[in-house]
Amino acid sequence: MKKIILALGSMQSAEMDLLEKEYHVIKLWKEKDPESTLQAYRLQIQVILSTYNGMPVTQKIIESLPNLELIAQYGAGLNNIDIGIAKARDIAVVSTPDAPTRDTADTAMALILTTLRRVVEADMFVRVGKWNSGAFPPSTSLAGKTVGICGFGRIGQAIAKRCVAFDMKVVYHSRCQKEDQPYQYFNDLKDMAGRVDVLVMACPGGQETYHIANAAIFTALGSRGYFINIARGSVVNTEDLLVALRNRSIAGAGLDVYETEPSVPESLISMDNVVLLPHIGGGTVEARSNMGQLVIANIRAHFKGDSLISPVVA
Ligand code: NAP
């Protein structure tokens, strides 16, 4: 008999098909009565498949599954999982940390380029025929600018490499200085924001980083500063960001993630000094395929009693 996997969100179809060949996959979000489905299978479910944009892995779900052994997260962030409860129950958690790194760093770079060089506005300028009435106004060069990266792990460091290639100076903030990194370290985010032209958020979401980018940070960044977020919407106080953009107390913003995604505040949509992406950081076929393969490999390893490939060390 096939083992049962409780899926709270979907991987790409190729990897879902592969998973369903080997396991009985319950897609909870598709169930008419999820509560009854959970009740019916509660004793057989040993593994949850979770995704950053699917149903959250709450205390309630974890507690309703007495034989749960593994939470396999399709994604790098873990803010959709109640890690504390999983840890208390001794439930293993795996994620796919490396798979989206380069593509997410590329997305940060795309946002830096589009906001500073006003690429989206320039595209519109051509499309609506304004070019016939005069040249597009000059934009802002990347070269020589200082970029401050908040969260200097896999993605933060991959962004740094790309910024260096664009002749930018890199500095960073995280809780600890990274001894192997050649860039200047700031132990205070506001201090760093006051010294940079571009502030990039690349830290995890969750309680600890909730609204760490707020009015004080935008004031420090100043009217010539740009704000980029590829981390999680929760790291930014959206109201403060809206005020800073509306008052032009920062120059612009490039956003891939939002507090209320997939809904985006109307007022952001109507602003011309923001570039808005629909959470596509790691959203390439290649990254998603690698993430899916890794999820499946971890689930197989778990059921075989082998060591997990990418366990989350809490
Ligand atoms: P990572 O390798 O774990 O790096 C996270 C970094 O954040 C570490 O350098 C950590 O360093 C720092 N950090 C942790 N808590 C912090 C805090 N309170 N203040 C400042 N820095 C803090 O993770 P990653 O792979 O780079 O991914 C980072 C995040 O990007 C993920 O958690 C996810 O939310 C997001 N992400 C977004 C997309 C997208 O599609 N937009 C795709 C993938 C990932 P210290 O321990 O020294 O603080």
Side-chain angles (χ1 to χ4, degrees), residues 52 75-79 97-98 100-101 104 107 150-157 173-178 185 201-205 208-209 212 229-232 256-257 279-283 288:
Y52 70 91
L78 297 165
N79 49 298
D98 289 314
T101 297
T104 309
T107 301
C150 172
F152 212 58
R154 296 176 195 87
I155 295 172
Q157 289 174 32
H173 162 73
S174 57
R175 292 167 305 181
C176 313
Q177 182 162 8
K178 315 288 171 203
Y185 170 69
M201 303 305 288
C203 58
E208 202 183 321
T209 55
I212 57 172
N229 187 12
I230 53 85
R232 283 290 180 263
D256 185 43
V257 287
H279 200 147
I280 57 162
R288 293 210 170 142

Side-chain angles (χ1 to χ4, degrees), residues 150 188-191 193 199 201 208-222 227 229 233-245 249-250 259:
C150 172
D188 184 73
L189 177 59
K190 191 166 144 221
D191 244 10
L199 175 62
M201 303 305 288
E208 202 183 321
T209 55
Y210 182 73
H211 285 188
I212 57 172
N214 51 38
I217 301 300
F218 299 130
T219 303
L221 187 58
F227 178 75
N229 187 12
S234 61
V235 306
V236 190
N237 182 322
T238 307
E239 277 311 308
D240 290 357
L241 177 63
L242 288 170
V243 170
L245 286 165
S249 47
I250 63 171
E259 277 194 283

Side-chain angles (χ1 to χ4, degrees), residues 156-233:
Q157 289 174 32
I159 296 169
K161 261 171 59 182
R162 286 154 175 74
C163 288
V164 168
F166 279 86
D167 295 328
M168 301 180 88
K169 182 184 169 196
V170 172
V171 300
Y172 73 98
H173 162 73
S174 57
R175 292 167 305 181
C176 313
Q177 182 162 8
K178 315 288 171 203
E179 298 303 339
D180 60 340
Q181 291 299 317
Y183 313 105
Q184 185 183 355
Y185 170 69
F186 285 85
N187 66 5
D188 184 73
L189 177 59
K190 191 166 144 221
D191 244 10
M192 182 174 83
R195 308 281 191 87
V196 301
D197 304 290
V198 183
L199 175 62
V200 180
M201 303 305 288
C203 58
Q207 274 306 314
E208 202 183 321
T209 55
Y210 182 73
H211 285 188
I212 57 172
N214 51 38
I217 301 300
F218 299 130
T219 303
L221 187 58
S223 59
R224 293 161 77 120
Y226 292 85
F227 178 75
I228 307 292
N229 187 12
I230 53 85
R232 283 290 180 263

Side-chain angles (χ1 to χ4, degrees), residues 128-157:
V128 300
K130 277 195 183 172
W131 199 5
N132 291 323
S133 334
F136 188 73
S139 57
T140 302
S141 177
L142 275 69
K145 299 294 186 303
T146 300
V147 58
I149 301 173
C150 172
F152 212 58
R154 296 176 195 87
I155 295 172
Q157 289 174 32

